[in-house]
């Protein structure tokens, strides 16, 4: 009986120790809501399509993507195969004067109403008549939505109605419709 009593006491002691260790490990693993919101996305979507409107109801962005991961606490979207339209109203904010630009890439990162970063086979295309630039192709593009400024330090190919231009260091101010390009190499095509 002595061996059985010792075995029983040892078993109870091990169970109590295991329960204490389990309780301590659970307390360390519990995350508060802020930690959960920081670590995990609010939602993940595939074959996403959505529109973004300003406070007056004007369409300012249309976005389609293969996958979208959204972190609400950071207003952050991570995109694969994004293809979107950015509606530039200029300083007038007149709906009839919108100049839509199509942007596509392999990957994208968007901080809502602040900035867009596109990487891999980035294509910018004017979707309105009489644009001085028809297309721009590069491997990286940054759009500052607050300043209406497009920049890239990478090589870029810009084409328009009668020209093709290559260079590095693009800076396009969509407010005053001026494009700056470092080290340009141009080819002009006359009809």
């Amino acid at each position: 009986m002595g061996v059985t009593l010792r075995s029983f006491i040892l078993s109870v002691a091990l169970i109590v120790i295991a329960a204490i260790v389990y309780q301590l490990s659970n307390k360390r693993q519990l995350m508060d809501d802020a930690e959960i919101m920081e670590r995990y996305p609010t939602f993940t979507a595939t074959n996403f399509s959505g529109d973004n409107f300003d406070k007056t109801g004007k369409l300012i962005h249309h976005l389609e993507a293969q996958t979208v991961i959204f972190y609400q606490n950071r207003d952050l979207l991570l995109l694969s195969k994004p293809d979107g339209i950015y509606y530039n109203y200029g300083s007038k904010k007149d709906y009839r004067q919108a100049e839509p630009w199509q942007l596509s890439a392999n990957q994208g990162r968007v901080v809502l109403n602040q900035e867009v970063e596109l990487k891999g086979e980035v294509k910018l295309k004017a979707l309105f008549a009489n644009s001085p630039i028809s297309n721009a192709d590069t491997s990286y593009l940054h759009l500052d939505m607050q300043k209406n400024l497009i920049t890239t330090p990478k090589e870029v190919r810009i084409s328009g109605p009668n020209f093709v231009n290559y260079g590095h260091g693009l800076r396009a101010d969509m407010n005053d419709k001026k494009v700056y390009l470092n080290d340009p190499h141009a080819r002009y095509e006359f009809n």
Side-chain angles (χ1 to χ4, degrees), residues 116-160:
V116 176
E117 258 187 5
L118 299 173
K119 296 178 181 178
E121 298 181 33
V122 180
K123 299 188 182 309
L124 174 68
K125 180 179 180 181
L127 299 178
F128 59 97
N130 301 322
S131 172
I133 295 174
S134 303
N135 297 293
D137 300 307
T138 186
S139 62
Y140 172 83
L141 192 79
H142 181 267
L143 167 63
D144 185 324
M145 290 188 228
Q146 295 175 339
K147 294 179 182 175
N148 243 359
L149 187 66
I150 297 173
T151 58
T152 182
K154 302 291 186 181
E155 182 179 37
V156 64
R157 178 187 182 274
I158 300 172
S159 62

Side-chain angles (χ1 to χ4, degrees), residues 33-46:
D33 289 344
E35 285 179 292
I36 291 171
M37 291 295 288
E38 184 68 28
R39 186 177 292 180
Y40 299 105
T42 306
F43 74 82
T44 301
T46 56

Side-chain angles (χ1 to χ4, degrees), residues 17-19 39 56-57 59 71 73 83 94 126 130 146 155 180:
I17 291 170
R39 186 177 292 180
T56 64
L59 179 62
Y71 294 87
N73 64 326
D83 189 359
D94 182 5
N130 301 322
Q146 295 175 339
E155 182 179 37
Y180 304 92

Side-chain angles (χ1 to χ4, degrees), residues 50-152:
D51 294 320
N52 188 17
F53 298 87
D54 70 5
K55 293 176 185 176
T56 64
K58 292 178 188 161
L59 179 62
I60 53 175
H61 308 109
H62 171 75
L63 175 65
E64 295 178 5
Q66 193 174 60
T67 59
V68 173
I69 301 171
F70 178 58
Y71 294 87
Q72 183 177 5
N73 64 326
R74 294 183 260 170
D75 284 339
L76 175 66
L77 291 164
L78 301 176
L79 312 163
S80 68
K81 299 290 184 189
D83 189 359
I85 300 174
Y86 172 70
Y87 294 88
N88 179 31
Y89 295 97
S91 58
K92 297 178 184 178
K93 302 289 183 192
D94 182 5
Y95 179 73
R96 293 164 291 168
Q97 302 269 334
E99 295 177 342
W101 291 86
Q102 182 176 15
L103 293 162
S104 64
N106 291 336
Q107 296 176 349
R109 180 183 174 276
V110 178
V111 178
L112 295 177
N113 300 316
Q114 291 183 25
E115 68 178 349
V116 176
E117 258 187 5
L118 299 173
K119 296 178 181 178
E121 298 181 33
V122 180
K123 299 188 182 309
L124 174 68
K125 180 179 180 181
L127 299 178
F128 59 97
N130 301 322
S131 172
I133 295 174
S134 303
N135 297 293
D137 300 307
T138 186
S139 62
Y140 172 83
L141 192 79
H142 181 267
L143 167 63
D144 185 324
M145 290 188 228
Q146 295 175 339
K147 294 179 182 175
N148 243 359
L149 187 66
I150 297 173
T151 58
T152 182

